[in-house]
């Protein structure tokens, strides 16, 4: 058990509530990246979808950062605790950066809904933060015995989050506007990267939901 403490089922559900926030936020990003959805609901509706998804990510990330055992680095902390805390902290920073970029896209869509190129694209700095967080989460998953709960970081969920972060990074590259041509590097990858990344985050969130990771007590 290492430094882990057993938690009651009720408290465990509260502690793992972030899973549903990440799941719902991921659905928003996945749906928002679908071209037919954007065409049917319009620029403002699509931008609102992304903004709501980013808020859900931030809420879930905040809960995750406050989970038992995820306290700021301190003397005597295990390597697993340190990786775990920094993974959650950097991810929370990334979600705030996505808040900023999705809000900016929403305001731009409200002002000029028919302007060419209006719409949210994956934020480069937010994507970098997710990549760093994914790497730290993988390190924490390798030291699960030191975490607050054995299933706090699972290898499967950590790898899905990492793949999703890479996909978001590809989306950010595709969304880069070339100054000389005033066009995207690849609008196809900008949308596909967001969609695939969101699906990976959704899968990871479902893997760490309370029903999937609660301790089974054998009588």
């Amino acid at each position: 058990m290492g430094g882990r403490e057993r938690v009651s089922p009720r408290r465990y559900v509260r502690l793992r509530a972030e899973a549903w926030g990440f799941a719902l936020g991921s659905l928003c990003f996945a749906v928002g990246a679908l071209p037919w959805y954007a065409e049917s609901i319009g620029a403002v509706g699509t931008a609102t979808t992304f903004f709501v998804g980013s808020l859900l990510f931030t809420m879930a990330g905040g809960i995750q950062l406050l989970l038992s055992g995820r306290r700021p680095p301190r003397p005597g902390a295990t390597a697993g605790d340190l990786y775990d805390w920094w993974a959650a902290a950097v991810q929370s920073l990334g979600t705030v950066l996505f808040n900023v970029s999705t809000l900016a896209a929403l305001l731009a869509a409200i002002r000029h809904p028919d302007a060419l190129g209006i719409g949210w694209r994956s934020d480069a700095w937010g994507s970098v933060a997710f990549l760093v967080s994914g790497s730290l989460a993988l390190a924490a998953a390798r030291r699960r015995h030191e975490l607050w709960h054995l299933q706090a970081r699972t290898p499967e969920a950590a790898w899905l989050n990492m793949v999703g972060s890479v996909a978001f990074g590809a989306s950010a590259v595709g969304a880069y506007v070339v100054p000389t041509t005033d066009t995207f590097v690849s609008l196809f990858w900008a949308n596909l990267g967001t969609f695939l990344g969101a699906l990976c985050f959704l899968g990871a969130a479902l893997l760490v939901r309370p029903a999937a990771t609660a301790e089974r007590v054998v009588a």
Side-chain angles (χ1 to χ4, degrees), residues 18 27 31 71 76 124 133 141 172 198 213 216:
E18 93 283 358
L27 281 176
V31 171
R71 291 163 288 183
S133 172
T213 57
R216 299 316 195 256

Side-chain angles (χ1 to χ4, degrees), residues 57-129:
F57 269 11
T58 300
M59 177 197 71
I63 295 174
Q64 188 179 64
L65 186 58
L66 295 174
L67 280 174
S68 173
R70 290 193 174 104
R71 291 163 288 183
R74 63 202 183 284
T78 65
D81 271 343
L82 291 175
Y83 289 136
D84 194 38
W85 189 89
W86 279 110
V90 175
Q91 185 178 52
S92 289
L93 172 62
T95 65
V96 172
L97 292 173
F98 280 128
N99 290 161
V100 174
S101 61
T102 54
L103 178 60
L106 175 57
L107 295 176
I110 292 173
R111 288 193 298 266
H112 306 289
D114 298 321
L116 183 65
I118 284 294
W120 180 79
R121 302 290 179 263
S122 186
D123 174 76
W125 291 111
S127 297
V128 169

Side-chain angles (χ1 to χ4, degrees), residues 1-5 78 145-147:
M1 297 291 289
R4 296 186 292 115
E5 297 179 359
T78 65
H145 60 285
E146 297 176 351
L147 303 181

Side-chain angles (χ1 to χ4, degrees), residues 16-209:
R16 295 260 52 162
E18 93 283 358
W20 295 114
F22 280 127
L24 293 173
S26 298
L27 281 176
C28 288
F29 277 93
V31 171
L34 295 173
W36 61 263
Y37 176 82
E39 292 173 3
S40 64
I41 201 173
V44 175
T46 304
T48 300
T49 302
F50 282 128
F51 182 56
V52 170
S54 75
L55 292 178
L56 287 167
F57 269 11
T58 300
M59 177 197 71
I63 295 174
Q64 188 179 64
L65 186 58
L66 295 174
L67 280 174
S68 173
R70 290 193 174 104
R71 291 163 288 183
R74 63 202 183 284
T78 65
D81 271 343
L82 291 175
Y83 289 136
D84 194 38
W85 189 89
W86 279 110
V90 175
Q91 185 178 52
S92 289
L93 172 62
T95 65
V96 172
L97 292 173
F98 280 128
N99 290 161
V100 174
S101 61
T102 54
L103 178 60
L106 175 57
L107 295 176
I110 292 173
R111 288 193 298 266
H112 306 289
D114 298 321
L116 183 65
I118 284 294
W120 180 79
R121 302 290 179 263
S122 186
D123 174 76
W125 291 111
S127 297
V128 169
F130 270 45
L131 282 169
V132 173
S133 172
S135 300
L136 292 167
L138 284 173
R142 289 195 292 267
R143 305 187 70 91
R144 300 165 64 195
H145 60 285
E146 297 176 351
L147 303 181
W148 71 278
H149 191 278
L150 187 62
Q151 301 295 331
R153 295 281 183 183
T154 65
E156 298 83 4
W159 274 111
L160 273 176
N161 273 324
M162 189 62 186
V163 173
S165 298
V166 171
F168 261 40
S171 174
V173 172
Y176 178 73
V177 177
V178 181
T180 56
T181 61
D182 201 31
T183 58
F184 295 112
V185 169
S186 174
L187 186 58
F188 172 79
W189 275 108
N191 291 328
L192 182 60
T194 299
F195 179 72
L196 294 178
L199 288 185
C200 288
F201 295 142
L202 174 61
L206 294 178
L207 283 177
V208 299
R209 73 191 191 282

